[in-house]
Amino acid sequence: MTDSTIIYTHTDEAPALATYSFLPVVEAYASTAGVAVESRDISLAGRIIAGFPERLEEHQRIEDALAQLGELARTSQANIIKLPNISASIPQLKAAIAELQEQGYALPDYPDDPRTEEEREVRARYDKVKGSAVNPVLREGNSDRRAPASVKNYVKANPHRMGAWRADSKTNVAHMDGDDFRSTEKSAVLAQDGALRIELHGDDGSTTVLRESVPVQAGEVVDAAVMRVAALREFLSAQVGRAKAEGVLFSVHLKATMMKVSDPILFGHTVRAFFPKTFATYGDQLAAAGLTPNDGLGGIYKGLESLPEGDRIKASFDAELAQGPDLAMVDSHRGISNLHVPSDVIVDASMPAMIRTSGHMWNKDDQEQDALAVIPDSSYAGIYQAVIEDCKANGAFDPATMGSVPNVGLMAQKAEEYGSHDKTFEIPATGTVRVLDDAGELVLEQAVGEGDIFRMCQTKDVPIQDWVKLAVTRARATGDPAVFWLDETRAHDRNLIGKVREYLPLHDTEGLRIEIMSPADAMTFSLERIRRGENTISVTGNVLRDYLTDLFPIMELGTSAKMLSIVPLINGGGLFETGAGGSAPKHVQQLVKENYLRWDSLGEFLALAVSFEHLAHKTGNARARILADTLDRATGTLLNENKSPSRKLGSIDNRGSHFYLALYWAQELAAQTEDAELAQAFAELAGTLAGQEQTIVDELLAVQGAPADIGGYYQPSTEKAAAVMRPSKTFNEALAALR
């Protein structure tokens, strides 16, 4: 590839289906500027297939596209548009494996309890695919996420609905006050390059190597923390009782997809806490049958069907459900609760949705109800309580007048907690975990008990320097205050505060307002400003980046998919992310049921424009810059003309929005005066699309209402998906003529 190549990733679910419709538009328009657009498959199915080449037939094998893109992200040539992908929980991973097996791929089953060397090797390969396998590989830069002016202005003129808040709302957040990751955290700054070794020294005198070698660099911040299971169980049991006493819904909010080792375990303990009698009586039988609460009630209920005492065990679960507090539901019509699947309730999406909906979640009767949001680790739970307290005091936010909270996020090179997966362990025996350097000297240690969760995190120095630079750059560009959300009472944050104070003087901060505040104080400060219509740049670590870039966009814009997400890569390339995919599964279900895709590709439009802009800046390609400018204007027209996908069958859906974007983009290109030849080429297309508008819309609407066959959920058939997503012969022929 060259500097004039854009990589458009093929991912999963609704974004992947939308790609079948939108990518031909991108390819056709880009070709007029000499820009090549190439696709790379980083879907869950693609990553699974790439992991087992020796087990597959020659025609089934595919390259490891994620590894290739990881290498590309470290170069100045990188120009990658990254769509949302599945961060697979174990149930999702197993479902994808089963589908691929049905499609003829000779893949091994996922070994829950590997006993042989072969099973351990298979498990290790699958574990590389599980959870947040994609983002840490591609994110070789820090995050710049903000609401584009066109989107913000549109929302102010067309505000979305916000639920009213009552001052006497019983909704609250519950978190641990000790013995969690935050309170036990220890942190060190390394003096030199080398490698660390993680060992468990048991009280019985045994030594177990947990990680043989963890490469580290001089100046790197490393942390070690432990979640103590005894305190966790006591906390969870207390919250079940509290929810019952207060008459509110019990809900747990974790991130079992991203924190793929720790949070499924926390989820499992929550399930146990809700059903203590059932697990006390039948826990051994469930374990013997391979049914673990870590996979949720859904997996257990399915497994009970084949157990001799399945009906009796199910009755025990039902009895405790009836006796306990009301449980928050994911889908009350189908009886799917907050505890059914660990990946169904993801904290960064579920908490903003609760806050937007009057502090309510849904109960079993499909009614809104106040809820107790259980977030065990106290590291960031306080930010949500701060928002709840603000809403109780001041009411719901008004999207028509509220300001914005863009984010500069420290995430490069697997920074902070999201880089801890391969250094997180459920401890098998009581003892001490020690982190040692090359010389065998102790760096960090934690006393642990059986079942405790230990994790070590890393944050390299170069990303920290780049993060500080990016924060100053954004503050200078906007004139808005920049606030580092760092807590002096937390070990990791103390070390980051020292580095921020060291690196800020290297930049011109004259006239800028740059401050350091604890997350709860920073939230309160930002909320006060946002209610006055003022903007505040949040400068945060990796997890808070994830949380805030859902929280504020969902309040401001109605969705995080409408954010502009730029990752200026440290070595000069660009990664352009297109938004969140949390609602994608429901969209796929609707498409299969009635051939209607509600997915909004606005994030793709925004990312593509800045991708063209980046390419033009690097290569001097004037036509690429024209494509970027005209696409931005066309996106504004799309919003103002209300041509985004509707929720209602019989309206334009995702495919219709792509047609209208192509029409408005062609009209903008035809009207621009910088390049007469380019204008002429698009004048013909614009005329065709405008003249055939009703025909094209009729062709797109005609397919709605009947089931759609795409040939698979995790790996759709390319031919079937393309046919479903490109049903307008007239539109397809017009694009082909341009190319």
Side-chain angles (χ1 to χ4, degrees):
M1 62 171 288
T2 68
D3 286 339
S4 292
T5 301
I6 293 173
I7 302 296
Y8 200 97
T9 55
H10 175 81
T11 57
D12 302 287
E13 297 177 323
L17 293 173
T19 298
Y20 287 103
S21 170
F22 185 51
L23 188 57
V25 176
V26 178
E27 292 171 335
Y29 283 54
S31 68
T32 64
V35 175
V37 180
E38 299 179 1
S39 184
R40 296 288 189 278
D41 184 355
I42 58 171
S43 67
L44 174 58
R47 289 180 278 128
I48 291 171
I49 293 169
F52 295 92
E54 78 285 357
R55 293 175 179 257
L56 306 179
E57 297 178 17
E58 184 67 33
H59 71 278
Q60 294 177 321
R61 297 173 188 168
I62 61 175
E63 294 181 328
D64 187 345
L66 179 59
Q68 293 175 348
L69 291 186
E71 292 297 321
L72 178 63
R74 298 186 182 97
T75 72
S76 62
Q77 286 186 321
N79 189 330
I80 304 168
I81 296 177
K82 192 268 175 185
L83 279 72
N85 62 278
I86 293 175
S87 294
S89 63
I90 291 178
Q92 290 173 306
L93 181 58
K94 290 179 178 178
I97 294 167
E99 179 179 301
L100 290 169
Q101 289 170 338
E102 290 175 3
Q103 293 178 355
Y105 291 85
L107 295 164
D109 291 334
Y110 180 86
D112 287 303
D113 184 23
R115 298 179 182 274
T116 67
E117 189 59 38
E118 181 183 4
E119 288 178 340
R120 284 190 285 272
E121 195 264 343
V122 167
R123 171 71 174 263
R125 291 201 207 183
Y126 278 134
D127 283 350
K128 290 181 180 179
V129 175
K130 188 171 67 179
S132 58
V134 172
N135 290 339
V137 174
L138 299 184
R139 287 172 171 169
E140 286 291 320
N142 292 310
S143 171
D144 172 10
R145 297 202 76 191
R146 56 189 188 269
S150 59
V151 175
K152 185 70 172 174
N153 291 336
Y154 173 79
V155 171
K156 285 186 173 182
N158 303 273
H160 53 274
R161 186 183 69 84
M162 297 283 278
W165 273 81
R166 304 187 324 271
D168 62 350
S169 169
K170 295 181 180 179
T171 292
N172 278 294
V173 173
H175 61 75
M176 298 173 69
D177 293 321
D179 290 321
D180 61 347
F181 288 126
R182 183 197 178 283
S183 61
T184 63
E185 185 175 71
K186 298 178 182 179
S187 183
V189 179
L190 302 181
Q192 58 189 19
D193 293 356
L196 302 180
R197 179 183 175 96
I198 308 175
E199 298 178 345
L200 169 61
H201 293 258
D203 286 350
D204 61 0
S206 63
T207 298
T208 304
V209 177
L210 300 177
R211 271 294 300 274
E212 181 68 41
S213 179
V214 180
V216 290
Q217 299 172 1
E220 187 165 343
V221 179
V222 295
D223 315 307
V226 60
M227 172 70 75
R228 305 198 190 284
V229 68
L232 172 67
R233 288 171 175 167
E234 182 179 348
F235 163 77
L236 292 170
S237 296
Q239 302 322 306
V240 173
R242 176 184 172 184
K244 178 74 172 179
E246 295 181 1
V248 297
L249 297 175
F250 177 89
S251 61
V252 64
H253 302 260
L254 298 164
K255 190 142 188 174
T257 52
M258 191 70 82
M259 305 304 293
K260 61 186 180 183
V261 179
S262 61
D263 282 24
I265 299 172
L266 299 180
F267 185 84
H269 283 299
T270 308
V271 175
R272 286 180 178 274
F274 204 91
F275 302 98
K277 296 177 183 177
T278 301
F279 280 96
T281 306
Y282 300 107
D284 291 342
Q285 289 172 255
L286 293 172
L291 302 179
T292 169
N294 295 17
D295 291 348
L297 287 180
I300 291 176
Y301 286 169
K302 185 176 181 180
L304 290 180
E305 297 171 2
S306 59
L307 291 186
E309 284 195 275
D311 290 343
R312 184 179 300 176
I313 300 173
K314 179 63 164 60
S316 180
F317 276 112
D318 290 343
E320 289 201 86
L321 269 175
Q323 295 164 4
D326 290 334
L327 189 56
M329 303 298 289
V330 171
D331 188 335
S332 53
H333 296 290
R334 295 195 293 149
I336 298 176
S337 76
N338 183 194
L339 299 182
H340 265 65
V341 182
S343 56
D344 270 357
V345 179
I346 304 299
V347 60
D348 50 330
S350 59
M351 287 303 297
M354 171 197 281
I355 291 165
R356 184 183 167 187
T357 315
S358 311
H360 296 157
M361 295 187 75
W362 298 95
N363 62 26
K364 62 181 182 298
D365 298 319
D366 202 33
Q367 300 295 315
E368 293 182 23
Q369 187 174 336
D370 288 346
L372 179 65
V374 178
I375 306 174
D377 183 43
S378 62
S379 295
Y380 309 111
I383 67 166
Y384 293 117
Q385 185 64 34
V387 183
I388 289 169
E389 293 298 334
D390 181 274
C391 289
K392 288 179 182 180
N394 302 302
F397 294 91
D398 183 357
T401 61
M402 66 191 297
S404 188
V405 182
N407 180 261
V408 172
L410 173 60
M411 68 177 191
Q413 300 177 5
K414 305 180 182 180
E416 296 193 332
E417 294 98 329
Y418 282 177
S420 68
H421 317 305
D422 59 351
K423 300 175 288 293
T424 299
F425 309 94
E426 188 173 24
I427 299 301
T430 300
T432 303
V433 175
R434 292 174 182 159
V435 179
L436 309 172
D437 64 17
D438 289 325
E441 296 295 322
L442 183 68
V443 178
L444 297 166
E445 68 177 350
Q446 289 281 3
V448 292
E450 182 180 350
D452 288 353
I453 306 168
F454 170 89
R455 76 176 184 202
M456 193 191 94
C457 308
Q458 301 171 256
T459 311
K460 300 187 186 305
D461 187 58
V462 169
I464 296 171
Q465 294 183 45
D466 182 75
W467 177 56
V468 173
K469 175 185 176 183
L470 184 57
V472 174
T473 300
R474 293 305 304 154
R476 177 67 63 193
T478 62
D480 296 326
V483 179
F484 286 85
W485 294 43
L486 297 170
D487 188 348
E488 288 185 343
T489 67
R490 181 179 171 186
H492 167 81
D493 284 12
R494 279 198 300 274
N495 280 328
L496 253 63
I497 288 171
K499 286 181 173 289
V500 169
R501 288 174 173 158
E502 177 185 355
Y503 297 137
L504 273 176
L506 302 180
H507 306 282
D508 177 15
T509 59
E510 182 69 28
L512 303 181
R513 183 177 181 182
I514 298 178
E515 301 194 28
I516 299 172
M517 299 182 187
S518 72
D521 289 344
M523 177 61 78
T524 300
F525 175 76
S526 301
L527 294 177
E528 289 172 353
R529 290 177 55 82
I530 209 173
R531 286 190 181 275
R532 297 197 299 265
E534 298 172 341
N535 304 333
T536 311
I537 301 168
S538 59
V539 189
T540 71
N542 205 349
V543 177
L544 270 178
R545 170 201 60 80
D546 216 2
Y547 290 8
L548 299 188
T549 56
D550 271 318
L551 174 64
F552 287 113
I554 287 173
M555 293 195 299
E556 291 178 44
L557 312 175
T559 172
S560 58
K562 294 180 179 179
M563 290 287 280
L564 184 60
S565 184
I566 302 171
V567 183
L569 300 175
I570 290 174
N571 289 328
L575 175 68
F576 308 98
E577 299 184 321
T578 67
S583 59
K586 293 181 180 179
H587 292 172
V588 179
Q589 292 162 12
Q590 185 178 13
L591 176 80
V592 171
K593 182 180 180 181
E594 53 191 21
N595 206 341
Y596 189 88
L597 186 64
R598 208 167 74 216
W599 175 258
D600 190 344
S601 289
L602 180 62
E604 288 98 289
F605 306 158
L606 299 172
L608 180 62
V610 290
S611 171
F612 278 129
E613 188 178 81
H614 174 80
L615 187 147
H617 178 73
K618 286 189 67 69
T619 66
N621 186 328
R623 283 193 170 181
R625 181 182 53 76
I626 293 172
L627 287 175
D629 294 343
T630 52
L631 174 55
D632 188 54
R633 294 197 292 272
T635 301
T637 303
L638 182 92
L639 292 171
N640 292 329
E641 294 295 325
N642 196 27
K643 296 302 183 182
S644 297
S646 166
R647 291 176 175 268
K648 185 179 178 183
L649 191 69
S651 312
I652 65 162
D653 70 349
N654 176 264
R655 295 163 288 194
S657 71
H658 294 163
F659 160 65
Y660 277 106
L661 188 281
L663 169 61
Y664 300 145
W665 194 5
Q667 289 173 336
E668 291 287 351
L669 282 160
Q672 57 82 29
T673 57
E674 292 184 61
D675 189 320
E677 184 180 354
L678 192 65
Q680 179 58 40
F682 279 97
E684 184 175 343
L685 177 63
T688 299
L689 296 181
Q692 297 294 321
E693 176 183 355
Q694 193 58 54
T695 299
I696 293 171
V697 170
D698 288 345
E699 290 174 345
L700 294 172
L701 295 179
V703 300
Q704 294 182 15
D709 178 13
I710 57 174
Y713 183 91
Y714 293 97
Q715 178 160 272
S717 158
T718 299
E719 294 75 18
K720 290 181 178 180
V724 167
M725 292 305 300
R726 303 192 70 201
S728 172
K729 181 173 181 288
T730 306
F731 184 32
N732 298 343
E733 289 176 348
L735 287 178
L738 176 66
R739 296 199 68 178

